[in-house]
Amino acid sequence: MRPVGLRNVCGVFGVWAPGEDVAKLTYFGLYSLQHRGQESAGISVSNGRQILVYKDMGLVSQVFDENTLESFAGHLAVGHCRYSTTGASTWQNAQPTFRPTEDGSIALGHNGNLINTAHLADLVQALPSDDGELDIHARNLESSTNDTSLVTALLAHHPDQSLEARALELLPQVQGAFSFVFMNENTLYAARDPEGIRPLVLGRLERGWVVASEDAALATTGASVVREVEPGELIVIDEDGLRSHRFAEPRRKGCVFEYVYLARPDASIAGRSVHEARVEMGRQLAREFPVEADLVIPVPESGTPAASGYALESGIPFGQGFVKNAYVGRTFIQPSQTLRQLGIRLKLNALEHMIRGKRIVVVDDSIVRGNTQRAQVRMLREAGATEVHVRISSPPVKWPCFYGIDFATRAELIANGLEVDEIAASVGADSLGYISLEGMVEATGQPQTSLCTACFTGDYPIELPDESLLGKHLLEATLKPSTHGEALPVFNNP
């Protein structure tokens, strides 16, 4: 279960494969990346003459059906599933973003979050008029207000050069976390920020190429893993094959939270199995914070590997203490105050026959505000647990993320104002243990110098601008009603 207050990043997928059903490949790729974003989904497909974009709010399986996918004919596609980190959760901000111009159209999907959004907005405002933008007779839309649309607009303006040359010119000016997958009518592009904060991998099909946020999406679509897209690298794929450009020197700082909980457990990042890393985090937790207990249980699903590691290392039996409702994702219909007071439990219930009379170790991946853990501990006590010991497979989260995870504000982070024993008292636990920073990093198999640990340490690898130039709703607050003349035209469903 994903903790309240800690939201996912996004998933991107791209495929260049003449003769293959690229729309369905992209659909299944996005389906395997659904854990990275559940607010909206979209796919763009090119047949070599034009790009068709279809996107909507909701899960991948809610946005697309057989008839929609059948209507996508082409050899090249880009897909995206979103959780919003810059720009509100609206249809206009769903991706891929799209720009049609006389020099060729562009569709782009973005995983990450940029920190120089205000500067990019100024660059967009300084572009010449939209005279070169095609009138595709699409319905007028309210301007999008995300950082991705700004990059798309800047890439689309390349009247005297190729899109490839324009990308190599623009990418060094983009600051923050980005794994971009974008396309024009004939070419697939993939680019990763110099720090490599968000993952991006390259795969090979029998008749083409695939890029995706995680290698698990390659396995789902039958592609073999070739390698990671390197930090500071632009990959270009067309009928002439694959080309690679270095637009910046790599300064690897991969997000450690990908190992803790963001990525699928069957993914590998920088050569390290995510599942193995999480099991090792649990083992390290048991070494650092042992306790006498009768049962180790996970908070499903994200706490399961670490809980199994804790049980293996401690010798305490591993068991299922919670039952998760598999059909509950984002809760659109909120319970009334009366129902909340009745303790309505949509997502999780305790298995009383497993819990009653036992001393319980409950393992989770993080604590943000503490509300989720407070409810879990109360549930276990009501089920008859004699003791509840909470173990967390990441250190205390004390700083917000500006690179693609939508944490609570710093004032809302429970670890920012309380010591560990005070947090334990606040959530009602008999004891609380967070894994050490060193223990977590060691479990990833990566040197700490190659990881971003800013949410734990406050040491941000990319220098941040003034706080007034940051924030999820920065563009809603600062941009004019239209970022660049006409609203963004997109072929799409209402």
Side-chain angles (χ1 to χ4, degrees):
M1 188 174 72
R2 300 297 187 182
V4 175
L6 192 162
R7 304 296 184 182
N8 302 22
V9 282
C10 299
V12 292
F13 186 90
V15 55
W16 188 94
E20 299 286 353
D21 191 342
V22 295
K24 286 190 176 178
L25 283 172
T26 305
Y27 171 84
F28 289 119
L30 291 182
Y31 200 91
S32 66
L33 296 170
Q34 184 72 88
H35 60 287
R36 298 186 70 87
Q38 300 91 41
E39 288 186 356
S40 63
I43 294 175
S44 57
V45 176
S46 171
N47 59 12
R49 299 183 307 276
Q50 64 179 1
I51 296 174
L52 179 66
V53 181
Y54 191 98
K55 62 182 182 178
D56 210 343
M57 304 303 292
L59 302 176
V60 175
S61 59
Q62 296 169 325
V63 172
F64 298 99
D65 57 27
E66 193 78 27
N67 290 335
T68 304
L69 295 172
E70 290 286 349
S71 68
F72 278 124
H75 70 288
L76 166 61
V78 165
H80 187 271
C81 53
R82 183 177 191 244
Y83 180 79
S84 54
T85 52
T86 293
S89 179
T90 63
W91 183 90
Q92 287 78 10
N93 284 332
Q95 298 180 34
T97 52
F98 179 67
R99 278 277 175 171
T101 74
E102 293 175 349
D103 303 301
S105 301
I106 178 172
L108 184 148
H110 173 203
N111 174 23
N113 195 60
L114 306 182
I115 61 171
N116 66 332
T117 301
H119 174 64
L120 296 176
D122 290 339
L123 293 180
V124 171
Q125 289 288 337
L127 290 176
S129 68
D130 286 344
D131 293 341
E133 188 163 292
L134 296 181
D135 180 6
I136 58 175
H137 305 293
R139 57 195 178 86
N140 288 329
L141 304 173
E142 172 189 334
S143 293
S144 54
T145 54
N146 58 30
D147 48 3
T148 311
S149 63
L150 300 174
V151 175
T152 308
L154 291 167
L155 283 171
H157 184 75
H158 57 98
D160 301 318
Q161 59 188 158
S162 66
L163 178 56
E164 189 171 335
R166 175 59 170 159
L168 289 170
E169 176 184 84
L170 177 65
L171 288 171
Q173 303 176 58
V174 180
Q175 298 174 16
F178 60 85
S179 287
F180 291 140
V181 177
F182 57 103
M183 62 185 282
N184 60 14
E185 283 79 1
N186 296 297
T187 308
L188 178 66
Y189 301 84
R192 196 174 176 203
D193 66 80
E195 287 72 22
I197 292 176
R198 297 284 153 230
L200 192 62
V201 292
L202 173 69
R204 191 75 164 100
L205 291 167
E206 184 177 347
R207 295 191 288 181
W209 298 88
V210 174
V211 287
S213 291
E214 298 179 23
D215 53 12
L218 303 186
T220 298
T221 55
S224 58
V225 177
V226 175
R227 62 176 176 85
E228 286 190 346
V229 177
E230 292 296 318
E233 182 182 20
L234 170 68
I235 284 178
V236 183
I237 302 169
D238 59 18
E239 60 184 4
D240 296 323
L242 182 147
R243 302 184 292 282
S244 172
H245 301 281
R246 177 75 66 188
F247 66 85
E249 287 301 312
R251 305 181 292 269
R252 187 178 287 274
K253 287 288 184 181
C255 173
V256 73
F257 240 108
E258 294 283 352
Y259 292 101
V260 173
Y261 107 113
L262 290 177
R264 276 173 49 148
D266 55 344
S268 294
I269 299 176
R272 174 62 161 162
S273 161
V274 169
H275 181 266
E276 288 181 359
R278 291 174 185 170
V279 171
E280 181 56 32
M281 289 174 194
R283 285 184 175 275
Q284 183 63 23
L285 258 177
R287 290 190 286 267
E288 294 181 5
F289 295 99
V291 67
E292 291 187 8
D294 304 306
L295 187 68
V296 177
I297 67 170
V299 175
E301 305 293 335
S302 54
T304 301
S308 68
Y310 194 102
L312 286 169
E313 186 69 23
S314 66
I316 302 170
F318 174 87
Q320 184 180 9
F322 289 116
V323 175
K324 181 184 178 185
N325 183 345
Y327 296 95
V328 175
R330 296 172 61 228
T331 306
F332 288 97
I333 301 175
Q334 298 295 329
S336 66
Q337 180 62 27
T338 301
L339 291 176
R340 281 195 295 269
Q341 289 173 345
L342 290 173
I344 184 170
R345 293 167 182 171
L346 295 176
K347 296 185 179 182
L348 214 61
N349 278 304
L351 280 171
E352 185 173 336
H353 74 280
M354 292 289 291
I355 301 300
R356 183 161 296 282
K358 292 190 176 77
R359 299 167 297 175
I360 303 297
V361 178
V362 57
V363 181
D364 205 351
D365 53 67
S366 60
I367 298 179
V368 181
R369 292 183 177 91
N371 297 332
T372 301
Q373 286 73 22
R374 195 172 294 113
Q376 291 164 359
V377 171
R378 182 170 61 249
M379 201 182 302
L380 292 172
R381 296 213 187 273
E382 290 173 357
T386 58
E387 296 177 13
V388 180
H389 303 276
V390 176
R391 297 293 180 265
I392 303 298
S393 60
S394 62
V397 176
K398 295 185 176 183
W399 300 84
C401 176
F402 298 100
Y403 306 135
I405 307 175
D406 189 23
F407 281 117
T409 64
R410 191 169 185 223
E412 294 174 305
L413 296 171
I414 191 171
N416 190 46
L418 299 177
E419 298 298 324
V420 173
D421 57 345
E422 294 174 318
I423 298 172
S426 175
V427 302
D430 291 283
S431 72
L432 169 62
Y434 290 92
I435 193 172
S436 65
L437 180 67
E438 296 75 19
M440 177 190 65
V441 168
E442 184 178 354
T444 70
Q446 311 302 317
Q448 186 166 345
T449 54
S450 296
L451 293 170
C452 175
T453 59
C455 54
F456 308 118
T457 64
D459 182 14
Y460 294 96
I462 309 173
E463 186 178 354
L464 300 175
D466 185 87
E467 188 175 345
S468 64
L469 300 177
L470 295 169
K472 180 173 180 175
H473 299 290
L474 173 70
L475 294 181
E476 280 96 345
T478 62
L479 283 187
K480 296 177 182 178
S482 172
T483 58
H484 189 199
E486 293 294 317
L488 192 68
V490 181
F491 288 122
N492 206 5
N493 54 315

